[in-house]
Amino acid sequence: MSKTRILIFYGIFAIGFLLLVGRLFELQIIFGTKNKILAEGNRIKKIVNPAPRGMIYDRNEKELVRNVPIYRIKNTECRMPARQASPGEAGGENGECWQTISREEALRLEARGETENLRMDIGRDYLYGRSLAHVLGYLSEANPQEVEEGRWEMGDLVGRTGVEEKYDALLRGKDGGELIEVDSLGNKVREIGKIEPVPGKDIHLSVDGELSKVAWEALGDRPGAVVANEVKTGQVLVLVSSPSFNPNQISEQDLTNPGLPFFNRAISGAYPPGSTFKIVTTTAGVEEGKVNENTTFEDPGEIRIGEYVYKNWYFTQYGKTEGTINLVRAIKRSTDTFFYKVGEWVGATTLAEWARVFGLGRKEGIDIPGEVAGLVPDPGWKEKTTGERWFLGDTYHFAIGQGDLLATPLQINIMTSIIANDGLLCRPRVKEQAFVPSSGRGESGRAGECQDLKLKPETLRLIKEGMKEACSPGGTAFPLFDFKPQVGCKTGTAEFGDPAGRTHAWLTAFAPSPDGSGQVPEIVVTALVEGGGEGSYIAAPIVKKVMEAWFHGR
């Protein structure tokens, strides 16, 4: 071999040696720490043990939910809603999420050792389905924005709407987990460390699950709401909205349904309350000294103001007048002309002030998300909003619960409860509240937060008597005439500008109706059916079924 070839050979060898040493230096020194971490990552595996979510019980200790294991696999092509916290908004972009699979599929993946993208979580089985969906809410995966903001990790199940959202921090436990060493095939070699999961806290609601089911079935598939509360405490017994959704399986049809099944009509729907508002008009009239038990009025059937005519419903439907009536009979017969005049005597501004005293025009503070305030109009509001001045006709419409006045079914329920509860306004709650001492008014005690509006005994007596008469023969709520115990109620048939002439059907009632012995009614039930027709025909039978279940079905 020539000297030149030898030199070339040694040169190539030297270069190769230097490259090898350099690579070893890179792997051992420069990337050594990183490679060690990667190796440890392949050898050490973290297994998350999800914490059981707190249970939810109704007032009778019945389970409303059950925790169930669910199996999920990572999917990088999920079509996710734009805002998963509000499922009414469909659409969005493809992204990474955890897709639920069957237990059988999960076992097949485990048998094949394909567990890298597999996880087990604890989900919910909602035992009352659609009837309690708006109260309880549901669980869904944290969306990309929440993960990016650091609020949750990808794949976390988060409470949405209702109790699940409001009390998520209480219901949510703390996940546990294991660190294990595995071999090259992924088999467990040894346990390195383990932390036990901490279960979430249980919650007891004031809601009655079976009574809610009765209300849901009575409402049927008609759009509307039913609300019931326990009079002495203000705690919610029923909060049902229709249409509803299945919290166990939210479908694409739910997300795009024009009936808005995720819209909680009981607390988020604002409607003209119609004649149910005459409770407030009466209160304003008596409290301001404009009417009393001796006030009488000759019903003319209609009142004319210039070219405008304001009629009583009885005159419109049958061409008849009520004759001479007093305040109690005006409530019993829901005589519009009488309340037009009461509104005129009180004045629109003062009437608006009394509406706000009853909680209208503001949120009641119920402990689930989504409540709206409604609207109480007055002359200042109209001028500011429309640039027009307030007319007497506006006052007439206002006094019978029409015009721009808007209220939620929850607000009308509370308005009624104030009368039933001798002037106490109690904050509505779905979570059971602790017992508090007596207010000094003779009761043994109350739960919840209540404010005494200090209404005159005469006001309460006259309205209760009028409402009792409304549910007696000759009144407007004929489905409740023979109900035992005696019911006090107010019907409402509210126009809302529908081109087809449809009206919202209302009925709000308490029972038992006071007999003068000082007892407080047990329950207030309020029903609304959107565009349903007359309150006496449509809403009253719903209230009757709930009352029957409460008093005779227990």
Side-chain angles (χ1 to χ4, degrees):
M1 181 181 294
S2 67
K3 186 176 182 181
T4 301
R5 288 182 176 180
I6 293 173
L7 290 173
I8 292 173
F9 172 78
Y10 281 111
I12 293 172
F13 179 81
I15 293 172
F17 180 76
L18 290 173
L19 289 174
L20 179 62
V21 171
R23 179 58 177 164
L24 289 172
F25 180 82
E26 179 185 45
L27 293 174
Q28 295 291 329
I29 306 301
I30 299 177
F31 295 117
T33 302
K34 179 180 178 181
N35 290 332
K36 182 179 180 181
I37 293 173
L38 289 173
E40 288 292 327
N42 292 329
R43 187 172 63 88
I44 305 300
K45 184 177 181 180
K46 180 181 179 181
I47 301 175
V48 175
N49 292 329
R53 199 165 174 86
M55 296 295 292
I56 305 176
Y57 299 92
D58 80 347
R59 66 188 293 106
N60 300 311
E61 298 295 326
K62 287 190 175 182
E63 290 184 350
L64 302 180
V65 299
R66 286 183 186 150
N67 287 328
V68 294
I70 58 173
Y71 302 88
R72 297 191 291 163
I73 189 168
K74 189 181 292 184
N75 186 342
T76 59
E77 295 295 328
C78 288
R79 183 70 173 172
M80 301 182 71
R83 286 195 302 125
Q84 201 153 347
S86 300
E89 295 191 37
E93 299 181 354
N94 289 346
E96 188 175 278
C97 69
W98 291 86
Q99 182 179 354
T100 301
I101 61 175
S102 67
R103 179 175 181 272
E104 291 71 20
E105 177 64 20
L107 291 175
R108 283 195 291 269
L109 291 173
E110 287 181 346
R112 295 198 300 263
E114 299 175 11
T115 60
E116 182 67 24
N117 295 321
L118 179 68
R119 63 184 286 173
M120 191 275 281
D121 286 296
I122 297 178
R124 291 288 213 195
D125 179 14
Y126 295 93
L127 304 180
Y128 283 80
R130 297 177 187 272
S131 63
L132 283 180
H134 289 99
V135 170
L136 299 180
Y138 64 102
L139 299 181
S140 74
E141 185 177 337
N143 61 44
Q145 181 179 343
E146 292 170 326
V147 174
E148 184 178 339
E149 292 172 352
R151 296 163 59 188
W152 307 107
E153 294 183 7
M154 191 192 74
D156 282 350
L157 294 176
V158 183
R160 308 294 191 187
T161 75
V163 170
E164 293 281 24
E165 178 175 331
K166 175 64 179 181
Y167 295 105
D168 186 75
L170 188 63
L171 291 164
R172 176 182 297 278
K174 187 175 181 180
D175 290 343
E178 296 178 72
L179 283 178
I180 62 173
E181 182 181 351
V182 297
D183 59 22
S184 59
L185 298 177
N187 298 314
K188 180 177 178 180
V189 175
R190 65 187 179 95
E191 182 182 288
I192 298 174
K194 184 175 183 180
I195 299 176
E196 294 294 335
V198 179
K201 301 294 184 181
D202 295 342
I203 286 181
H204 291 76
L205 303 185
S206 62
V207 171
D208 187 316
E210 291 301 312
L211 195 65
S212 297
K213 184 178 179 181
V214 169
W216 165 257
E217 293 173 349
L219 187 57
D221 59 359
R222 296 169 292 185
V226 181
V227 181
N229 79 57
E230 183 181 56
V231 173
K232 285 188 176 183
T233 67
Q235 294 190 118
V236 175
L237 300 171
V238 172
L239 194 79
V240 165
S241 176
S242 175
S244 186
F245 60 95
N246 181 359
N248 294 311
Q249 186 174 10
I250 296 174
S251 66
E252 184 67 26
Q253 288 75 21
D254 288 327
L255 297 175
T256 58
N257 189 333
L260 304 177
F262 292 94
F263 180 55
N264 189 345
R265 287 162 168 80
I267 65 173
S268 303
Y271 310 87
S275 292
T276 63
F277 184 73
K278 291 171 182 174
I279 292 172
V280 174
T281 304
T282 302
T283 301
V286 179
E287 292 290 322
E288 297 296 328
K290 304 300 181 182
V291 293
N292 56 46
E293 64 179 334
N294 298 316
T295 301
T296 59
F297 175 75
E298 184 70 28
D299 171 35
E302 63 181 25
I303 297 176
R304 293 182 176 271
I305 305 295
E307 62 185 60
Y308 298 99
V309 181
Y310 303 89
K311 297 183 178 182
N312 179 36
W313 69 270
Y314 192 51
F315 187 76
T316 299
Q317 292 189 20
Y318 302 103
K320 298 180 180 181
T321 63
E322 296 283 3
T324 302
I325 59 173
N326 60 13
L327 181 54
V328 169
R329 182 166 176 79
I331 297 173
K332 174 179 182 175
R333 297 290 300 157
S334 195
T335 309
D336 295 324
T337 50
F338 181 92
F339 291 99
Y340 293 151
K341 299 305 291 185
V342 176
E344 180 180 348
W345 299 334
V346 170
T349 300
T350 301
L351 183 56
E353 291 171 354
W354 276 103
R356 297 184 184 105
V357 167
F358 273 77
L360 304 184
R362 70 166 186 264
K363 295 180 181 181
E364 300 289 356
I366 191 169
D367 54 333
I368 55 175
E371 185 185 7
V372 300
L375 173 64
V376 174
D378 59 28
W381 170 86
K382 183 179 180 183
E383 184 172 358
K384 180 179 179 181
T385 304
T386 69
E388 300 177 356
R389 67 185 182 90
W390 186 278
F391 295 98
L392 180 57
D394 295 318
T395 302
Y396 283 178
H397 288 146
F398 186 13
I400 64 166
Q402 292 286 172
D404 295 305
L405 178 65
L406 297 173
T408 66
L410 175 66
Q411 288 174 326
I412 298 304
N413 184 261
I414 292 173
M415 175 195 74
T416 310
S417 188
I418 290 170
I419 300 301
N421 205 7
D422 293 332
L424 286 180
L425 189 163
C426 297
R427 183 182 181 188
R429 310 291 286 178
V430 299
K431 183 175 179 291
E432 277 192 338
Q433 300 298 293
F435 184 82
V436 297
S438 167
S439 63
R441 297 176 54 185
E443 299 89 354
S444 60
R446 299 177 186 273
E449 306 167 29
C450 300
Q451 173 192 359
D452 191 347
L453 302 183
K454 301 188 184 303
L455 300 180
K456 296 176 182 178
E458 180 187 15
T459 301
L460 297 167
R461 178 176 61 82
L462 290 172
I463 296 176
K464 288 176 183 178
E465 183 63 26
M467 293 180 69
K468 178 180 178 181
E469 289 295 315
C471 280
S472 302
T476 55
F478 62 86
L480 294 165
F481 284 175
D482 299 323
F483 190 84
K484 300 298 180 185
Q486 175 70 55
V487 178
C489 70
K490 188 69 196 75
T491 53
T493 302
E495 298 176 359
F496 61 101
D498 181 57
R502 295 179 304 162
T503 55
H504 296 319
W506 287 93
L507 190 120
T508 188
F510 54 74
S513 181
D515 59 8
S517 63
Q519 91 279 17
V520 175
E522 294 180 25
I523 186 174
V524 171
V525 184
T526 303
L528 161 80
V529 179
E530 284 185 11
E534 293 188 21
S536 55
Y537 285 93
I538 304 301
I542 297 173
V543 172
K544 183 178 181 180
K545 287 182 180 179
V546 176
M547 292 281 192
E548 285 174 340
W550 179 259
F551 288 105
H552 308 304
R554 292 183 291 177

